[in-house]
Amino acid sequence: MNPLRVLTGITTTGTPHLGNYVGAIRPAVAASRNAGTDSFYFLADYHALIKCDEPARIQRSTLEIAASWLAAGLDPERVFFYRQSDIPEIPELTWLLACVTGKGLLNRAHAYKAAVDKNTAAGTEPDTDVTAGLFMYPVLMAADILMFKSHRIPVGRDQIQHIEMARDMAQSFNHLYGEHFAMPEAAIEESVATLPGLDGRKMSKSYDNTIPLFAPREQLRKLIAGIVTDSRAPGEPKDTEGSALFQIYQAFASAEETEALRSAYAEGIAWGDAKERLFERIDREVAPMRERYEALMADPARMEATLLAGAAKARQLATPFMAELRQAVGLRGLGAQAAAAGAARPAIKAALPSFKQYREKDGQFYFKLVDAKGHLLLQSAGFASPRDAGQAIARLQGEGKGALDGLADQLRPVPDVGRADIEAALQALKNAAEA
Ligand code: TRP
């Protein structure tokens, strides 16, 4: 079986903080060590241009983020680790996708809509200060994902819509030009903590409440001393509930350590002492990485070489794939025999999934949905009559994925087939019927 491909991008506009470490870097580095997965982590510097027009900051952030991921243990030999702007196939694919993407789809993107709503509320023109780059953000992101036929995209909730849009674009393209793209799925890690920041709200650059991951030791201590607490005096029992300090501690500590701090809270530990414990616990995890980080930051030329090697490795996949896509859409050399005028499109009909109805020995009527190559995607339970089976098929054809939940009782799970594949097949059928 092909390995599962996991891909995620990090926009290069800031300095990694503890929230990024706990929420993204640490779980991703751990996941990248799983056998049976190919991981793609990249610095989304084209995306950075959408929200940042300070060249020095983009360059600095690219270095800091790259050094942070490597310092945290990412092994560039084992994964694909590259800078988006080193892969010219990405903007090229962005254009091919833009040409199969409805403008209306992009009108519905949350980030764009939020900008328009803000303008409308302020009484200005809807598109004031909205760049075409912001509008195209989802297309560039779809190119990142589809270029490497990635399956799992670990992202925050705010990015789910972008993954859905990438699927829409993949489906439109596949429908027009044949099956080239895999269907990606967002992966939201429920178990990963969102870290509170200094003021107790979610740690985020936009709230200016972050603790840089690799702040020097003494600065780390100072920053931790600034975490908000209530005004309970030493000796007074303290609440763990709603305590940012406690939550941050939990994200770094073992279960036993956490229980020990919980008892200390109940026994009235002084806030200053609790902060000192938190500081020492974080520093214990961060210090060895900080040392590697500082070494990497001191040698930007080596970092550059690592990124270029990563890009070369990624392009071994991207370059031939892009050639295939150019061929598919008709960006072709004229030297070889040009397609005869009127030559048919690739046989799209044959490339569609299909429903098959049949009767089993038990006398019941069944159907299944198979993909273009005949692989089983969906299996029904038994129906008393062929008419009942036919009605269920008609609902799936007419309503598409919307019918899946309503029909859940009449469907049987197929091992190793994800809902995204089923939804994609139903959508492809629907698209074909509407074409
Ligand atoms: N938009 C993502 C974010 O802000 C970053 C990103 C760019 C990304 N391209 C991607 C994430 C592709 C996942 C896959 O978090």
Side-chain angles (χ1 to χ4, degrees):
M1 245 203 63
N2 291 333
L4 181 77
R5 286 195 176 169
V6 181
L7 173 143
T8 201
I10 313 100
T11 309
T12 55
T13 45
T15 299
H17 53 68
L18 290 180
N20 300 136
Y21 174 70
V22 168
I25 304 175
R26 191 171 63 183
V29 170
S32 75
R33 299 194 171 128
N34 289 343
T37 52
D38 278 345
S39 303
F40 294 72
Y41 298 110
F42 68 94
L43 303 153
D45 53 350
Y46 281 136
H47 278 100
L49 296 182
I50 294 170
K51 38 183 171 174
C52 176
D53 59 9
E54 300 164 53
R57 188 159 144 219
I58 292 196
Q59 184 189 26
R60 173 92 195 154
S61 170
T62 302
L63 176 62
E64 287 176 348
I65 294 175
S68 298
W69 281 70
L70 296 181
L74 192 73
D75 177 358
E77 298 292 326
R78 189 179 175 125
V79 305
F80 291 81
F81 185 57
Y82 53 93
R83 178 169 49 193
Q84 187 186 30
S85 67
D86 286 332
I87 316 280
E89 289 82 2
I90 302 246
E92 195 175 357
L93 178 55
T94 300
W95 182 251
L96 299 198
L97 294 176
C99 294
V100 299
T101 304
K103 177 173 174 291
L105 181 80
L106 300 181
N107 286 340
R108 292 192 287 276
H110 298 322
Y112 171 67
K113 259 184 30 194
V116 168
D117 289 350
K118 203 169 141 212
N119 285 330
T120 311
T124 53
E125 282 291 308
D127 282 336
T128 300
D129 291 334
V130 175
T131 64
L134 175 67
F135 191 65
M136 287 279 289
Y137 189 109
V139 189
L140 178 58
M141 185 159 158
D144 292 330
I145 294 170
L146 300 177
M147 174 57 78
F148 296 105
K149 301 187 174 145
S150 351
H151 310 106
R152 273 174 71 86
I153 319 295
V155 283
R157 297 198 167 278
D158 59 324
Q159 300 291 316
I160 295 178
Q161 188 197 31
H162 292 146
I163 317 292
E164 283 167 0
M165 290 183 160
R167 293 224 312 244
D168 284 334
M169 293 177 218
Q171 272 157 14
S172 304
F173 190 98
N174 284 353
H175 176 58
L176 286 166
Y177 299 115
E179 293 289 316
H180 295 279
F181 294 124
M183 291 300 145
E185 232 170 314
I188 309 291
E189 258 308 344
E190 305 287 353
S191 65
V192 164
T194 12
L195 217 61
L198 295 171
D199 60 358
R201 292 184 292 175
K202 176 182 177 218
M203 189 178 289
S204 160
K205 214 172 22 159
S206 30
Y207 296 144
D208 199 14
N209 65 356
T210 64
I211 302 177
L213 172 55
F214 294 124
R217 190 176 144 90
E218 280 319 306
Q219 193 192 335
L220 180 65
R221 172 181 264 135
K222 252 196 218 125
L223 283 164
I224 287 174
I227 295 173
V228 284
T229 56
D230 60 28
S231 54
R232 285 183 213 183
E236 272 185 80
K238 317 236 164 359
D239 249 337
T240 55
E241 192 73 28
S243 164
L245 202 157
F246 190 79
Q247 278 181 56
I248 301 174
Y249 187 80
Q250 204 165 13
F252 286 87
S254 68
E256 297 83 70
E257 289 167 326
T258 303
E259 280 323 298
L261 186 64
R262 192 188 299 283
S263 311
Y265 265 52
E267 288 155 15
I269 186 175
W271 284 126
D273 295 339
K275 286 172 171 175
E276 190 56 23
R277 268 209 219 185
L278 173 62
F279 162 65
E280 287 298 351
R281 185 63 193 83
I282 293 180
D283 195 59
R284 195 163 100 214
E285 180 157 338
V286 165
M289 296 189 277
R290 185 193 291 127
E291 213 167 290
R292 290 196 290 274
Y293 176 79
E294 280 164 5
L296 289 161
M297 290 298 287
D299 194 354
R302 195 173 117 215
M303 194 73 254
E304 179 67 20
T306 304
L307 289 179
L308 290 179
K313 183 166 151 186
R315 289 191 76 198
Q316 282 177 11
L317 301 174
T319 307
F321 188 39
M322 198 61 219
E324 171 191 323
L325 296 174
R326 290 177 62 102
Q327 179 70 20
V329 300
L331 303 177
R332 298 173 181 166
L334 304 178
Q337 179 207 348
R345 287 177 173 286
I348 281 170
K349 201 145 187 286
L352 281 176
S354 54
F355 284 100
K356 310 248 188 268
Q357 272 184 271
Y358 55 98
R359 190 170 189 185
E360 285 277 52
K361 287 198 252 358
D362 63 7
Q364 304 223 73
F365 297 87
Y366 292 81
F367 68 83
K368 58 188 180 178
L369 174 65
V370 296
D371 72 12
K373 295 191 187 110
H375 300 310
L376 184 62
L377 292 173
L378 194 62
Q379 166 72 60
S380 79
F383 292 87
S385 75
R387 198 167 149 264
D388 293 343
Q391 278 175 350
I393 294 177
R395 269 189 72 186
L396 288 165
Q397 284 171 331
E399 298 166 38
K401 65 180 179 186
L404 283 173
D405 290 328
L407 289 170
D409 286 339
Q410 278 107 288
L411 302 172
R412 295 286 167 262
V414 178
D416 292 322
V417 174
R419 185 172 171 117
D421 298 313
I422 299 168
E423 290 184 0
L426 292 174
Q427 188 63 41
L429 283 172
K430 225 166 155 229
N431 291 345
E434 284 159 11

